[in-house]
Amino acid sequence: MLSPSRKESVSLNLIEQGRGYANGKQWRRQSCWRKWKQLSRLQRSLILFIVVLLLICGVATYPSLTERWKGFSDRALREEAELKKDSGLKPFVLELQEQPGLILPEPPSERKVPNKRGPPLLQNRQHKKGNSSSALLAEGKPEPKNAAEENGKPVVSWRGAMIEADQVTDSAAKGKADAEVEDTAFLEPESVRLEAVKEAFRHAWKGYKEFAWGHDELKPLSKSYGEWFGLGLTLIDSLDTMWILDLKEEFEEAKKWVATELSFNKNVDVNLFESTIRILGGLLSTYHLTGDSLFLDKAIDIGARLMPAFNTPSKIPYSDVNIGAGTAHPPRWTSDSTVAEVTSIQLEFRELSRLTKEPRYQMAVNEVMKRVHKLEGKQDGLVPMFINTNSGQFTHLGVFTLGARADSYYEYLLKQWIQGGKKETELLEDYLQALEGVKKHLLNRSSPSGFMFVGELSHGHFSSKMDHLVCFLPGTLALGHHHGLPAEHLELAKQLMEGCYQMYVQMETGLSPEIVHFNTHSGSAQDIDVKIADRHNLLRPETVESLFYLYRLTKDRKYQRWGWEILQNFNKYTRVPTGGYTSINNVRDPEYPSPRDKMESFFLGETLKYLYLLFSDNFDLISLDKYVFNTEAHLLPIWPQTEGATV
Ligand code: DMJ
């Protein structure tokens, strides 16, 4: 039983609690106040002190808390974008982008990159502020805008939106991220891409026209020209590019020069290979595109003048011909020719025979292939780099590369087979055997990221050196698969393409050096090393050439994105304000890439042409079922089935 006083107290409490249900806040306030009053002065001071301390801590940590929260929300956006990409939905970042006034925050990339080394996705942003290459680029022009900017909408850079800084510092992870992107979400629209290439061409042409018109090469910094053969090399190399890019005005001017100024009746020594692939190839290609007999006549003229090169004891041609005097000779210091040079003139001379119905051109170059086919000194289909014009034998045995001096031998085995309607089985056999040799002796993976690359073999010793020139191989492999060779070729092409792309991505300018060394030792800190003497970039085409084939044949948009990055970096580091582009000495120094003052003709003949074709979604534009490209990107028709492979 309860005592009355306790009863009272209980009833009072009940009443108070009942009131509490009705007016709880007031009751709690009174109860707290009463408790506060019951505390000693010391206790109250202590509590007040703790509360003030907590308040101060709260104010101090507020920014990092908000940052953290912001980080979570950014990541959530990116994760959502990834998920939607996989499911084919439009990423939320893009939906936001389309809403006026909404701009996503940039990831804190610049602060997270400790040094200059790393992919240009980051470097580009790093350099945007005080642009280093401004010496080259100070044209007073704004940087090219993307489509959304053009439309006046707020823009989130696709780089900023998609890639976290710590993600891109790991190149392997970056490669994976790229492989997952298959839509157009982060790519400029086709019209913007194509126009960017046309603009680059016009800019290069401006320099050539103003300072080097009718000469071989532009020297854009000294606003002058260089002469190699004195035959307007850049102009002829560029003809079919202008036609494909639909630059009519420029094409007509150039055509007029060919019609009125170009003469091959000159007492000048030319290199057989270079003048075949650039001049003969360029004229034949332009003839096929335009149907204008002017170009065929000129092609026949130069073709005939190059023929004395084949008057050798071995039928292996000399490297040099005097096209005016009709004499030929090897270089002064040797009677050797380069294997790639004597085996990469066949597409052009074979086509010349088909067009003229004169067998002598094709017979001369077919003879070279027959002899090389039978030669000893190969290793599993791989050829040495030199061949003697007297003995007809390989020299400097035991050294094998897919780079300089051997590269286009492999390319032309496949392409001659395609050109001739896939009937010449010896060519195919040699090609397939060589690929076995590549797999057996030259393929390797880098450390730490495992990028596939093609090294070299010297007297049984593997070297992890790779020329940028080797980057033709992914494209050639993919082309072979398109023409019926096993799927394994395409798989290898994809892996090698990644390695070639890394040769750009890993450099501070985002442009590849001429030669790299891949690291193969486990525990290496970085995949790629570059020797000081190899740091130059000559505006070469091989990587964008392969990107073109890979995109055409896989439709994977990442190849277009890679090409887009490369074009941006050419614009950033090699473009000369007064017109033209220049080779550079140092791809590792974005502050001063050290321009060389030379624009190679293949920049217009090949690099920009392949970029344009890479960015085009019109797969009928130079169909790979109708044409083969020679090694200078000039197109030649695949012969109709009714026409024989042998003349
Ligand atoms: C071009 O002249 C040709 O592509 C050749 O096969 C290799 N060298 C240059 C481009 O790099």
Side-chain angles (χ1 to χ4, degrees):
M1 272 198 57
L2 292 173
S3 72
S5 58
R6 293 228 23 211
K7 246 193 224 172
E8 243 184 62
S9 154
V10 169
S11 61
L12 181 72
N13 281 346
L14 279 172
I15 292 164
E16 292 222 355
Q17 280 175 16
R19 249 193 258 144
Y21 282 113
N23 191 357
K25 274 187 196 160
Q26 197 186 345
W27 176 80
R28 265 195 304 275
R29 255 199 312 271
Q30 283 171 1
S31 151
C32 284
W33 183 242
R34 201 176 304 130
K35 280 189 182 135
W36 177 253
K37 286 277 206 180
Q38 285 165 358
L39 294 174
S40 71
R41 186 171 288 180
L42 180 70
Q43 282 172 319
R44 281 192 227 159
S45 311
L46 243 163
I47 290 172
L48 276 174
F49 175 74
I50 290 169
V51 168
V52 170
L53 200 74
L54 283 174
L55 270 173
I56 291 169
C57 289
V59 169
T61 54
Y62 179 73
S64 74
L65 284 172
T66 50
E67 268 299 305
R68 189 133 178 231
W69 177 84
K70 201 170 91 159
F72 280 136
S73 62
D74 288 355
R75 201 172 318 140
L77 285 177
R78 283 190 286 279
E79 278 168 9
E80 189 191 354
E82 292 287 344
L83 279 174
K84 288 199 176 179
K85 255 186 291 135
D86 290 346
S87 64
L89 292 171
K90 187 188 279 185
F92 179 52
V93 284
L94 278 193
E95 288 171 7
L96 277 183
Q97 202 173 312
E98 286 165 6
Q99 294 174 36
L102 276 175
I103 301 182
L104 290 179
E106 285 263 312
S109 57
E110 292 177 23
R111 270 178 295 124
K112 284 193 187 175
V113 184
N115 54 34
K116 284 187 206 161
R117 196 175 172 78
L121 295 181
L122 288 176
Q123 294 156 15
N124 289 346
R125 282 208 300 274
Q126 270 183 312
H127 301 138
K128 235 169 216 164
K129 286 180 183 161
N131 193 346
S132 51
S133 52
S134 45
L136 291 178
L137 302 170
E139 289 179 77
K141 275 191 192 174
E143 289 209 301
K145 290 179 173 181
N146 67 25
E149 278 173 315
E150 294 288 3
N151 295 337
K153 287 180 185 171
V155 167
V156 179
S157 142
W158 59 265
R159 295 164 175 167
M162 276 308 298
I163 299 171
E164 294 184 50
D166 42 0
Q167 194 183 345
V168 281
T169 48
D170 178 342
S171 44
K174 187 194 167 306
K176 187 168 173 288
D178 285 331
E180 286 164 1
V181 179
E182 299 212 350
D183 59 8
T184 53
F186 305 101
L187 195 61
E188 306 295 327
E190 186 188 29
S191 59
V192 173
R193 303 192 299 262
L194 296 180
E195 185 48 41
V197 182
K198 288 172 82 161
E199 193 280 329
F201 187 98
R202 280 193 214 100
H203 182 79
W205 196 246
K206 173 180 180 284
Y208 178 73
K209 200 175 153 185
E210 251 176 85
F211 310 120
W213 185 250
H215 297 284
D216 283 343
E217 285 154 347
L218 169 67
K219 295 173 85 171
L221 292 176
S222 53
K223 299 183 183 165
S224 60
Y225 57 83
E227 226 51 306
W228 191 5
F229 310 141
L231 296 174
L233 208 55
T234 294
L235 190 148
I236 300 174
D237 226 359
S238 307
L239 287 166
D240 57 0
T241 305
M242 289 184 272
W243 186 266
I244 291 167
L245 270 56
D246 199 22
L247 296 169
K248 291 196 183 76
E249 218 175 280
E250 291 83 352
F251 178 82
E252 287 305 325
E253 275 176 321
K255 178 183 154 183
K256 197 170 163 201
W257 183 87
V258 172
T260 57
E261 306 285 326
L262 177 62
S263 168
F264 295 124
N265 190 15
K266 277 189 169 174
N267 184 16
V268 60
D269 271 0
V270 302
N271 175 282
L272 169 69
F273 164 72
E274 297 291 357
S275 43
T276 299
I277 65 169
R278 300 188 199 210
I279 300 175
L280 177 56
L283 292 167
L284 287 172
S285 174
T286 310
Y287 167 66
H288 281 296
L289 288 171
T290 62
D292 190 328
S293 61
L294 165 69
F295 301 107
L296 179 58
D297 293 344
K298 292 288 179 189
I300 296 170
D301 189 9
I302 186 69
R305 287 171 186 276
L306 292 172
M307 287 304 283
F310 295 91
N311 295 333
T312 68
S314 65
K315 305 288 180 219
I316 302 298
Y318 291 131
S319 59
D320 296 289
V321 192
N322 186 309
I323 52 172
T327 54
H329 59 88
R332 233 172 277 138
W333 58 92
T334 177
S335 53
D336 287 351
S337 283
T338 297
V339 170
E341 291 195 358
V342 301
T343 56
S344 312
I345 49 180
Q346 279 65 18
L347 292 173
E348 299 81 356
F349 280 100
R350 283 156 51 112
E351 178 59 10
L352 194 57
S353 274
R354 194 180 72 93
L355 291 171
T356 59
K357 309 232 176 325
E358 277 190 64
R360 64 186 179 121
Y361 305 113
Q362 177 159 0
M363 281 167 65
V365 292
N366 276 1
E367 188 62 29
V368 178
M369 294 313 295
K370 272 188 208 148
R371 290 179 184 232
V372 169
H373 173 73
K374 288 187 204 138
L375 279 185
E376 292 193 353
K378 294 182 198 167
Q379 189 158 342
D380 297 302
L382 301 175
V383 290
M385 294 187 284
F386 297 98
I387 187 165
N388 190 274
T389 50
N390 293 322
S391 69
Q393 301 296 315
F394 289 130
T395 65
H396 301 77
L397 301 180
V399 182
F400 303 100
T401 174
L402 259 75
R405 300 184 183 281
D407 49 357
S408 41
Y409 161 74
Y410 304 100
E411 179 188 349
Y412 268 38
L413 286 174
L414 178 78
K415 288 183 175 175
Q416 287 176 80
W417 176 69
I418 295 169
Q419 178 192 42
K422 304 179 195 171
K423 295 172 190 157
E424 297 150 290
T425 49
E426 260 180 21
L427 292 166
L428 179 63
E429 279 163 23
D430 285 353
Y431 177 70
L432 293 175
Q433 204 198 350
L435 286 186
E436 288 309 309
V438 170
K439 281 194 269 176
K440 192 167 163 190
H441 302 291
L442 306 183
L443 277 191
N444 208 335
R445 284 190 183 276
S446 67
S447 174
S449 307
F451 300 127
M452 188 170 274
F453 69 95
V454 182
E456 299 188 349
L457 193 68
S458 179
H459 307 289
H461 295 290
F462 177 78
S463 150
S464 61
K465 166 180 176 277
M466 178 164 157
D467 294 353
H468 181 270
L469 288 168
V470 183
C471 291
F472 79 92
L473 187 60
T476 299
L477 284 164
L479 179 67
H481 173 62
H482 179 68
H483 283 283
L485 301 185
E488 181 200 335
H489 291 215
L490 182 61
E491 283 317 304
L492 182 55
K494 288 180 189 171
Q495 301 212 32
L496 289 172
M497 190 76 259
E498 168 73 28
C500 287
Y501 173 57
Q502 292 299 328
M503 288 165 64
Y504 286 71
V505 173
Q506 306 272 323
M507 298 301 119
E508 287 78 353
T509 56
L511 292 174
S512 171
E514 179 74 353
I515 300 169
V516 298
H517 287 76
F518 282 90
N519 284 318
T520 51
H521 306 294
S522 59
S524 303
Q526 60 204 22
D527 291 274
I528 296 177
D529 283 332
V530 186
K531 294 191 192 297
I532 288 177
D534 303 334
R535 292 176 164 194
H536 49 291
N537 178 296
L538 305 183
L539 312 171
R540 285 197 190 277
E542 290 75 18
T543 293
V544 294
E545 167 186 354
S546 284
L547 287 173
F548 154 67
Y549 285 108
L550 268 284
Y551 175 62
R552 268 281 169 102
L553 302 175
T554 67
K555 301 184 181 60
D556 187 338
R557 296 276 183 193
K558 79 177 175 191
Y559 299 119
Q560 289 186 321
R561 290 196 295 109
W562 292 358
W564 182 253
E565 283 172 36
I566 292 172
L567 176 61
Q568 303 312 305
N569 290 322
F570 276 133
N571 276 329
K572 193 162 187 175
Y573 296 106
T574 71
R575 184 171 163 123
V576 180
T578 45
Y581 288 74
T582 179
S583 306
I584 54 174
N585 280 313
N586 191 357
V587 296
R588 310 228 65 167
D589 188 354
E591 299 304 318
Y592 186 64
S594 178
R596 279 194 161 184
D597 195 19
K598 183 170 176 175
M599 183 174 78
E600 299 276 354
S601 77
F602 51 69
F603 183 63
L604 301 190
E606 295 192 72
T607 310
L608 292 181
K609 185 189 290 152
Y610 280 129
L611 279 168
Y612 189 84
L613 293 172
L614 164 67
F615 294 152
S616 172
D617 287 328
N618 174 8
F619 290 2
D620 291 331
L621 180 62
I622 320 297
S623 160
L624 292 175
D625 294 314
K626 292 186 184 149
Y627 296 101
V628 277
F629 288 92
N630 84 343
T631 192
E632 188 76 7
H634 298 305
L635 50 107
L636 298 167
I638 295 173
W639 297 343
Q641 281 301 321
T642 47
E643 294 183 36
T646 45
V647 177

